[in-house]
Amino acid sequence: MAHSRTAKKNIRKTLKRNIHNRALNSAMRTEVKKVRAAIEAGDAEAATAAFPHAQKLIDKAAKTNRMHANRAARVKSRLATAIRKIA
C-alpha cells in the first residue's frame, strides 16, 4: 500500500485513467463490431454509414496511444477493403 501523499494520488489518477480508457476502448470496439456486422450481413449502406465513426474512434485511440498506430491503420484498411468487396 502506498504511504506518501503523492503515491496515493498517483493510484487515484491511475484508476481514473484506467476507467476512462477502458470506456473509450470499449466504444471503439463496439463501433468496429457494428461495421463488421453490417459487412457480414452484406449491407453495404449500413457498413459505409458506420465506417466513418469507427474510423474516427480508431484514429483517436491511436493518437492517444491506446492502440498502436500500425494496428489502427491495419484495422481501418481491412474494414475499408471488406466494405469495397461487398459494395
Side-chain angles (χ1 to χ4, degrees):
M1 184 64 202
H3 294 292
S4 67
R5 281 179 32 198
T6 56
K8 289 176 183 177
K9 182 176 179 179
N10 283 332
I11 290 171
R12 289 194 308 269
K13 285 175 11 184
T14 300
L15 288 173
K16 191 173 184 178
R17 288 175 185 159
N18 190 308
I19 292 167
H20 184 250
N21 286 333
R22 203 179 309 162
L24 293 175
N25 284 335
S26 176
M28 179 199 57
R29 285 194 306 267
T30 301
E31 289 302 316
V32 170
K33 285 178 189 175
K34 285 180 185 176
V35 175
R36 287 194 179 130
I39 291 168
E40 290 291 321
D43 190 356
E45 282 186 26
T48 306
F51 182 62
H53 192 245
Q55 191 174 12
K56 180 180 178 183
L57 292 178
I58 291 169
D59 285 336
K60 280 187 177 182
K63 182 175 142 186
T64 56
N65 293 320
R66 286 182 283 113
M67 173 189 275
H68 194 278
N70 290 355
R71 178 177 176 228
R74 184 176 64 242
V75 170
K76 290 189 307 183
S77 174
R78 288 180 180 172
L79 288 175
T81 302
I83 290 171
R84 267 188 257 116
K85 282 184 181 177
I86 65 167

